[in-house]
Amino acid sequence: MDQGPQKPFWRYENGVVLIMFFTFGFVFMERLSVVYLFPYLAPDLKLNNAQLGLIVSVLAICWALSGFFFGTISDFLGSRKNVLVPITLAFSLLSFLTGLAKNFGQMLGIRALMGVSEGPVLPIAQAAVMADSTEARRGFNMGFVQSALGLIGSTFGPLILTWAATNYSWHAGFYVAGIPGLIMFFVLLFFMREPNKRMSKEELAKSEHRLRKEDFPVVFRTWNIWFTLFIAILMMTWLFAFTSFAPTFLVEYDHYTGEQMGLISAAMGLGTFFWGFMGPYISDKWGRRPTLVLFSFIAVLSPLVLIFVHGSVALMCVLGFLTCAGQACFPLFMVVIPGESLSPKYVGTAVGLVQMVGELVGGAVMPTVAGVAADHFGLPAPMWIAAAGAFVSGIIAFFIRETAPIRLRRGGQVASEPIQL
């Protein structure tokens, strides 16, 4: 069958995907930096597990509120670049400031500001990617951007940060985490373009690229938005209960060294990277709903492996890579499904809303709950909480209405039709 003319690789679609991949990856490396460096900084600042959970939680609260607020602002402005560029500079500078923290109070305040600056990155970056993605590659492109969490945030992050902390200090780890963001600030400043500025006058006249006040309630009348909100809460419970305490679990409960923990964490991160773009790619072919169900259930295994398997570093790396497949779900429930359930002008708002609700409960409340549970019942408690979140998410995913263009065409539906209550 004729596939049409071959498109060049060096086109703006691929360029914006790569730019947002690195931008979001460095953001998440910085976000997770306090988790990887906690075994090094906790004795110095005299912090316990509950305080670690609180540090993670306060960043998540600010991340959630900021993401929704600035994501909506970018929709109203019809501009992604004017919001994304300054916040990229801000989170880089705040990473350097984190390395100067002297006590728990300072650490808490700085990480709160960090959440404000980092929260809008994903909704705005993914809105920009969706605007420039061809239909057949939409899932892959958005999944690839979010898979940076795995490759940069969870694979290179623990290796680089634990190396800096081991050879220098935990302060140096935060300084190192801030440098890549400064580079991306200049890349975005000079290379990012607005989708509406690349349209002809005729296309611009027909396009609805700005959100109006009267459009806002449409987001809340959309069937899939409500189910993705519940899934976001549960999968972020899985993500943050697991990632916040897995490094400490490996060191204190399974008795691996700091460097061995870094290797195992890196293997898990490589798994989240691989599945993070493979899952959405599969969903382009199979559909969003079956893919989301499958990978939610696979994610249940990742915390259970740490509880029940106490093997060699090599074995733990292999199992970590294979079972950390929950990241395949995140682009689907957070970006692709909400984005395909509404017209493009709603993307920043819809993604920001799903991120906000998921972060406020799963990212803010649950790490603190998991930290208290760890102090009272032992370090396996956060792992059980994470497993439960992924399992219930898989059940709820059965209620999602399909949005994949290939599946809708088979059913005679139009891909751009809103899926309303």
Side-chain angles (χ1 to χ4, degrees), residues 46 78 100-101 150 170 205 212 227 237 258 267 334 337 361 371 413 420-421:
K46 299 179 175 57
L100 301 176
W170 64 265
R212 301 168 299 176
F227 285 99
T237 295
M334 187 178 289
I337 294 172
V361 182
Q413 293 177 262
Q420 301 292 310
L421 289 171

Side-chain angles (χ1 to χ4, degrees), residues 155-279:
T155 302
F156 293 136
L159 292 175
I160 295 169
L161 299 177
T162 55
W163 173 84
T166 301
N167 291 277
Y168 298 97
S169 69
W170 64 265
H171 308 275
F174 288 111
Y175 303 150
V176 169
I179 294 172
L182 290 178
I183 297 172
M184 295 315 300
F185 163 74
F186 289 105
V187 172
L188 290 165
L189 182 64
F190 292 109
F191 294 102
M192 183 181 179
R193 295 176 287 172
E194 300 287 6
N196 56 302
K197 290 185 179 179
R198 296 192 303 279
M199 296 179 183
S200 67
K201 290 182 179 181
E202 292 75 15
E203 290 174 325
L204 192 57
K206 295 178 182 178
S207 173
E208 292 184 284
H209 64 279
R210 280 191 190 183
L211 192 68
R212 301 168 299 176
K213 290 181 181 179
E214 56 268 31
D215 295 328
F216 196 74
V218 173
V219 176
F220 297 92
R221 295 200 302 265
T222 304
W223 173 278
N224 279 348
I225 294 298
W226 287 99
F227 285 99
T228 54
L229 290 177
F230 288 114
I231 293 172
I233 291 170
L234 294 162
M235 286 307 299
M236 287 194 184
T237 295
W238 169 81
L239 176 66
F240 291 110
F242 181 65
T243 58
S244 297
F245 293 94
T248 303
F249 186 95
L250 287 166
V251 172
E252 295 186 8
Y253 191 87
D254 283 341
H255 305 295
Y256 294 100
T257 67
E259 291 184 346
Q260 288 173 328
M261 176 271 288
L263 288 172
I264 296 170
S265 297
M268 292 178 182
L270 193 60
T272 63
F273 164 67
F274 176 76
W275 296 115
F277 69 83
M278 278 302 299

Side-chain angles (χ1 to χ4, degrees), residues 85-392:
V85 169
I87 61 175
T88 302
L89 177 62
F91 84 73
S92 303
L93 298 178
L94 285 165
S95 183
F96 293 110
L97 195 59
T98 305
L100 301 176
K102 303 293 185 183
N103 52 51
F104 173 67
Q106 291 181 6
M107 181 68 74
L108 198 66
I110 294 168
R111 300 310 285 182
L113 293 174
M114 182 67 75
V116 173
S117 66
E118 292 179 341
V121 171
L122 181 63
I124 296 173
Q126 290 286 40
V129 170
M130 190 168 192
D132 284 290
S133 292
T134 54
E135 184 181 276
R137 281 187 48 190
R138 188 182 295 152
F140 173 81
N141 285 351
M142 302 177 90
F144 185 75
V145 168
Q146 220 155 325
S147 72
L149 179 158
L151 185 65
I152 299 176
S154 301
T155 302
F156 293 136
L159 292 175
I160 295 169
L161 299 177
T162 55
W163 173 84
T166 301
N167 291 277
Y168 298 97
S169 69
W170 64 265
H171 308 275
F174 288 111
Y175 303 150
V176 169
I179 294 172
L182 290 178
I183 297 172
M184 295 315 300
F185 163 74
F186 289 105
V187 172
L188 290 165
L189 182 64
F190 292 109
F191 294 102
M192 183 181 179
R193 295 176 287 172
E194 300 287 6
N196 56 302
K197 290 185 179 179
R198 296 192 303 279
M199 296 179 183
S200 67
K201 290 182 179 181
E202 292 75 15
E203 290 174 325
L204 192 57
K206 295 178 182 178
S207 173
E208 292 184 284
H209 64 279
R210 280 191 190 183
L211 192 68
R212 301 168 299 176
K213 290 181 181 179
E214 56 268 31
D215 295 328
F216 196 74
V218 173
V219 176
F220 297 92
R221 295 200 302 265
T222 304
W223 173 278
N224 279 348
I225 294 298
W226 287 99
F227 285 99
T228 54
L229 290 177
F230 288 114
I231 293 172
I233 291 170
L234 294 162
M235 286 307 299
M236 287 194 184
T237 295
W238 169 81
L239 176 66
F240 291 110
F242 181 65
T243 58
S244 297
F245 293 94
T248 303
F249 186 95
L250 287 166
V251 172
E252 295 186 8
Y253 191 87
D254 283 341
H255 305 295
Y256 294 100
T257 67
E259 291 184 346
Q260 288 173 328
M261 176 271 288
L263 288 172
I264 296 170
S265 297
M268 292 178 182
L270 193 60
T272 63
F273 164 67
F274 176 76
W275 296 115
F277 69 83
M278 278 302 299
Y281 173 76
I282 291 170
S283 79
D284 282 335
K285 313 299 181 183
W286 290 2
R288 314 304 186 199
R289 180 171 57 191
T291 307
L292 185 57
V293 170
L294 172 64
F295 284 100
S296 294
F297 287 135
I298 294 176
V300 176
L301 300 176
S302 54
L304 298 184
V305 163
L306 296 194
I307 295 175
F308 294 111
V309 182
H310 306 283
S312 65
V313 173
L315 175 63
M316 297 302 289
C317 286
V318 171
L319 292 177
F321 176 87
L322 293 175
T323 60
C324 281
Q327 182 57 31
C329 302
F330 279 75
L332 297 177
F333 72 74
M334 187 178 289
V335 182
V336 180
I337 294 172
E340 290 179 335
S341 300
L342 292 159
S343 68
K345 66 179 178 180
Y346 297 99
V347 174
T349 301
V351 176
L353 176 64
V354 175
Q355 176 181 276
M356 179 181 70
V357 173
E359 289 277 2
L360 286 178
V361 182
V365 175
M366 294 313 298
T368 300
V369 171
V372 172
D375 286 336
H376 285 81
F377 304 107
L379 283 170
M383 302 298 107
W384 284 110
I385 292 171
F391 180 79
V392 179

